[in-house]
Amino acid sequence: MIRHAAPVENHHYVCYECCVARLLKDLVVRQGETATCSLCGATKVRCAGTGTDDFLLAIKALIRYHFGEWQYHSKLGDGSLEGLFSIDPNPLLRINPAQSDIDREDVILSFMSDVNDRQMQVEVITAYGRDIYGYYPHTPVSAGESHILQSARRKLADTNYFLVEDEYEAIIRPIVVYMSGTVSAGSKWHRARMGAKRRAADFHEIGAPPQYFFEPHKDKAIGAPPVGVATAGRVNRPGVSYLYLASNSETAAAEIRPHPGELVSVGMFEVNKDLRVVDLRTHDLTKLWRSDSQLEMLELIIAMEKIFATAAPPSNRSAYTLTQFLAEIFRRLGFDGVLFRSTVGDGDNLVAFNPAHADWVAGSSRAIGVARVRYDWSDVAMFDESETYDMDYEKQSKLLEQ
Ligand SMILES: [Zn+2]
């Protein structure tokens, strides 16, 4: 291992309670020693030393995970690296209101003074001097703004997918180990289909509304659509039949976006073999933090989760080109399906590439009437022509094209 400089003298300690980030708590547990915490003053507690290589590396990874470069690179904004530690509540190290600013700063400087000289496998600053104008500043890894996906989206806009498939398969192959999961045989999932099979009515008394009876879709009728007639979906290309399932019936129903007054059939499916799936819900800084390339992998996984979880409006099905492309790569890499959070329900979505891998559970179908659909929204800030922004995406992309 190459050491760029000797570690600083290990003269400060932080305890488990004062570490907010799990990555730092893990260091206390794994490599800690009994000491007095320099932040809260607790004595004889297990603490991480702030002078170790791993402590500094974890701090750098956490800065990249939580913050964008414009928040701490003084050439891009007003902030500084040290200033990140006075943000309250702090995502890295808890702020003790009883501690003076000077004493806290002393602790922070015990590792931050070498942030740009040691553990350079993670860089928090992209470029210095005039060079900065030729680079995208780092965005927070947790924001999942992966340039790898952005370039894939651009390429797919004017290139046949099979011409770029190999290139992206090679990029994704090394990270599949971090998002590989299993859906166990026997687990039960839910599926919804618009409408019902039969309806009947009883007229009890003249003038009163009739009572209706419905027979929900069941078995094959609520299963995956036949190959060939399947329309394009979030994960499947047109003509390709995948089985879309959800972890609860409410999510399954919400995913097909029914309107109020419409009727939906829901039924249960049982997975009939252990499925090897891409699990986009499990991304974790504690597994990918030891280098810039690992952070880039984490950012890519977060970016993929974001695009899978975001439902495109029915008017813009072309938005699914990228998710269909990625799903095909997952399939080529030997996966049976993909698992991701739903944004319209509180459950998860499972898409099985082979509809034969789950069977309808006899008697599980029922019909539900949609009484009300609820939307949550908030105002977004307006672009102002007279303002200058840390990142103006249109300007920046023109600059890079030159
Ligand atoms: Zn403490």
Side-chain angles (χ1 to χ4, degrees):
M1 199 173 96
I2 302 163
R3 290 258 164 85
H4 293 266
V8 289
E9 209 178 301
N10 187 4
H11 58 190
H12 276 296
Y13 293 94
V14 290
C15 75
Y16 188 89
E17 292 303 318
C18 287
C19 294
V20 179
R22 227 184 83 207
L23 194 54
L24 296 177
K25 285 185 185 289
D26 283 359
L27 284 186
V28 176
V29 172
R30 278 207 324 272
Q31 316 178 349
E33 51 192 302
T34 304
T36 300
C37 176
S38 310
L39 292 175
C40 70
T43 55
K44 293 186 188 145
V45 287
R46 200 167 172 83
C47 288
T50 61
T52 66
D53 282 347
D54 269 2
F55 189 84
L56 180 61
L57 189 59
I59 288 285
K60 291 174 88 169
L62 283 161
I63 290 172
R64 290 276 290 103
Y65 183 81
H66 287 284
F67 302 106
E69 202 173 342
W70 60 88
Q71 288 168 280
Y72 59 75
H73 190 164
S74 57
K75 288 284 190 332
L76 299 168
D78 303 328
S80 68
L81 279 163
E82 290 77 16
L84 299 177
F85 294 87
S86 43
I87 294 172
D88 196 6
N90 200 274
L92 279 67
L93 292 170
R94 203 160 60 88
I95 293 177
N96 170 12
Q99 187 175 38
S100 75
D101 289 351
I102 290 177
D103 285 349
R104 182 171 173 90
E105 202 177 297
D106 195 41
V107 180
I108 302 306
L109 286 175
S110 73
F111 51 90
M112 287 305 284
S113 57
D114 328 301
V115 70
N116 291 314
D117 305 307
R118 276 174 54 218
Q119 299 300 94
M120 296 311 282
Q121 57 274 46
V122 170
E123 303 234 29
V124 289
I125 301 283
T126 37
Y128 298 93
R130 294 183 59 83
D131 259 2
I132 60 169
Y133 301 107
Y135 288 84
Y136 277 118
H138 286 309
T139 50
V141 168
S142 57
E145 293 194 17
S146 167
H147 67 89
I148 296 169
L149 280 202
Q150 285 159 13
S151 82
R153 195 190 293 280
R154 275 198 301 276
K155 282 186 188 166
L156 289 170
D158 58 14
T159 315
N160 283 320
Y161 67 85
F162 48 83
L163 297 175
V164 289
E165 215 162 36
D166 288 344
E167 178 188 344
Y168 286 93
E169 187 180 317
I171 292 171
I172 290 171
R173 180 176 288 117
I175 67 172
V176 295
V177 55
Y178 299 105
M179 44 185 197
S180 177
T182 305
V183 170
S184 308
S187 65
K188 302 255 195 342
W189 295 78
H190 302 262
R191 181 168 162 81
R193 185 186 157 186
M194 215 65 96
K197 195 173 157 222
R198 285 175 73 175
R199 58 187 245 159
D202 259 354
F203 302 93
H204 298 288
E205 49 187 289
I206 295 162
Q211 188 185 5
Y212 291 106
F213 300 88
F214 301 94
E215 186 186 338
H217 292 298
K218 27 180 114 153
D219 204 4
K220 288 203 165 45
I222 201 170
V227 173
V229 308
T231 54
R234 194 183 310 186
V235 186
N236 70 292
R237 295 199 173 111
V240 172
S241 176
Y242 288 164
L243 185 66
Y244 288 69
L245 300 166
S247 56
N248 57 48
S249 55
E250 293 78 14
T251 301
E255 281 288 341
I256 60 171
R257 246 75 60 71
H259 291 102
E262 281 186 308
L263 202 68
V264 174
S265 295
V266 289
M268 226 193 287
F269 282 74
E270 185 175 329
V271 171
N272 56 30
K273 65 164 251 189
D274 282 349
L275 301 181
R276 188 173 168 247
V277 297
V278 169
D279 186 350
L280 293 172
R281 303 163 314 166
T282 56
H283 43 74
D284 191 346
L285 184 66
T286 60
K287 291 182 199 126
L288 291 166
W289 61 283
R290 289 193 162 272
S291 66
D292 281 330
S293 64
Q294 288 195 355
L295 289 170
E296 194 175 65
M297 288 179 189
L298 180 63
E299 186 177 49
L300 177 57
I301 297 171
I302 294 170
M304 289 196 287
E305 184 195 16
K306 261 173 59 181
I307 62 157
F308 271 91
T310 307
S315 57
N316 182 21
R317 287 299 158 113
S318 68
Y320 289 152
T321 312
L322 189 54
T323 38
Q324 292 164 4
F325 175 74
L326 292 169
E328 181 60 17
I329 290 175
F330 298 157
R331 203 190 57 75
R332 282 166 48 134
L333 289 169
F335 287 96
D336 300 312
V338 54
L339 189 56
F340 51 95
R341 265 185 276 267
S342 169
T343 46
V344 291
D346 56 10
D348 298 321
N349 289 319
L350 169 67
V351 180
F353 298 151
N354 184 351
H357 285 162
D359 305 307
W360 179 69
V361 177
S364 69
S365 283
R366 62 203 166 92
I368 52 175
V370 179
R372 197 167 76 97
V373 176
R374 218 191 70 171
Y375 292 95
D376 290 331
W377 44 42
S378 54
D379 280 333
V380 295
M382 302 277 275
F383 184 88
D384 182 348
E385 207 61 66
S386 65
E387 280 287 328
T388 53
Y389 295 94
D390 291 334
M391 177 73 113
D392 177 338
Y393 292 94
E394 199 174 286
K395 238 191 243 169
Q396 190 79 31
S397 63
K398 277 188 193 135
L399 211 71
L400 287 179
E401 274 163 23
Q402 281 166 12

